[in-house]
Amino acid sequence: MGQALGCYQVEESNVAIKEYFGKFEEILEPGCHCLPWCLGYRIAGELSLRVQQLEVRCETKTKVECFLSSICTVSWDHAFVTVVASVQYQALADKASDAFYRLSNTRGQIQSYVFDGRWGGFSASFVHVIRASVPKLELDAVLEQKNDIAKSVEEELEKAMSTYGYQIVQTLIVDIEPDTNVKRAMNEINAAARLRVAANEKGEAEKILQIKKAEGEAESKYLSGLGMARQRRAIVDGLRDGVLAFSENVTGTRTKDVMEMVLMTQYFDTVKDIATQVRDGLLQGNASQNLIQEL
């Protein structure tokens, strides 16, 4: 209706392409514009100046080297990985005519560039950078250097897309997906590595426990021996004091006689203790037998 009345309104963050009898005339900024269609003027279309985002996936090769053990190494040369990049791009207002006329279906053709790798431009730059850098790196290095790869991709895309009237705002490598077989192998290797670490930790723990146990036993034996030595020293001191006291109080006795008497006394005490233990054992045995008979 606006064009029928000779007026046309351009929304904010958009520009309109004005033609005169099918030929490009000018870029119309946001606002209301006079458009005398009867004189051959018309709007060919509009172009958004907003930042847009496109996810780009590129399959390439990388060098993956995995260590199964200290003596066995398994490596895959040229294993496939899928690099997923998020590309943010924007049409340039001063090059809106290039963006509008040179790319009839922007997203569709960009997708074609990326997936088919045709016509150069966007995909050629992306694929060129990815496939020129990734195959030289192992997977771990690719993961570590993905920011550098993203920067290189952004610079190359900027060169390619500027001729189409677009600028690359930012490019991020959001994911790196190894081949399924590589993922499985890496998971197995990681699991084996974790088990090895766990086994080492368990071995160290057991080693520490054995050392502490041995140190405890040694300390216990030392203290036991020390106590026994003190006990024997006390016994000897007691015997010596008893012999001296007995010799001083009983005239005519010899030290040897006193020692024999003390040893005889200790002998009878020991026999008494043994007899007591035997008696207690017999009593307990008889009590147990009587209880069994009652049951």
Side-chain angles (χ1 to χ4, degrees), residues 18-43:
K18 179 181 177 181
E19 291 182 348
Y20 177 65
F21 287 113
K23 182 179 180 181
F24 171 71
E25 179 71 14
E26 64 175 328
I27 301 296
L28 300 182
E29 300 290 336
C32 186
H33 300 271
C34 179
L35 192 71
W37 61 269
C38 58
L39 299 179
Y41 294 99
R42 76 181 188 93
I43 297 299

Side-chain angles (χ1 to χ4, degrees), residues 87-154:
V87 181
Q88 297 177 344
Y89 63 97
Q90 182 182 32
L92 298 171
D94 56 345
K95 294 184 178 181
S97 59
D98 290 335
F100 183 80
Y101 288 105
R102 299 192 66 180
L103 293 177
S104 60
N105 181 0
T106 306
R107 294 185 65 85
Q109 288 186 261
I110 288 177
Q111 292 283 1
S112 297
Y113 294 164
V114 175
F115 293 116
D116 298 337
R118 295 178 294 181
W119 306 314
F122 193 91
S123 66
S125 300
F126 179 82
V127 173
H128 172 72
V129 175
I130 295 297
R131 292 181 177 171
S133 56
V134 173
K136 299 177 183 178
L137 303 173
E138 296 178 2
L139 182 58
D140 290 340
V142 174
L143 295 173
E144 293 173 359
Q145 301 180 24
K146 64 179 183 179
N147 291 334
D148 297 334
I149 297 173
K151 185 64 176 177
S152 301
V153 171
E154 182 177 328

Side-chain angles (χ1 to χ4, degrees), residues 166-230:
Y166 284 88
Q167 68 170 349
I168 303 300
V169 178
Q170 189 177 25
T171 301
L172 299 174
I173 303 297
V174 296
D175 195 11
I176 297 176
E177 303 174 356
D179 181 75
T180 304
N181 293 330
V182 176
K183 282 185 178 180
R184 187 184 303 111
M186 291 177 64
N187 290 335
E188 293 176 356
I189 292 169
N190 290 334
R194 292 190 183 96
L195 290 175
R196 184 168 61 251
V197 172
N200 290 336
E201 294 295 332
K202 182 178 180 181
E204 288 296 324
E206 292 179 351
K207 178 181 177 181
I208 293 174
L209 289 176
Q210 292 294 334
I211 292 174
K212 293 299 182 181
K213 182 179 179 181
E215 291 177 352
E217 291 178 353
E219 183 69 16
S220 176
K221 290 179 180 179
Y222 169 76
L223 294 176
S224 177
L226 186 62
M228 187 177 295
R230 290 176 178 175

Side-chain angles (χ1 to χ4, degrees), residues 2-18:
Q3 293 194 46
L5 297 177
C7 296
Y8 189 83
Q9 179 178 317
V10 181
E11 300 294 335
E12 190 65 37
S13 299
N14 288 356
V15 293
I17 309 299
K18 179 181 177 181

Side-chain angles (χ1 to χ4, degrees), residues 71-88:
I71 59 174
C72 179
T73 302
V74 176
S75 64
W76 295 272
D77 292 327
H78 310 304
F80 280 96
V81 295
T82 299
V83 180
V84 183
S86 177
V87 181
Q88 297 177 344

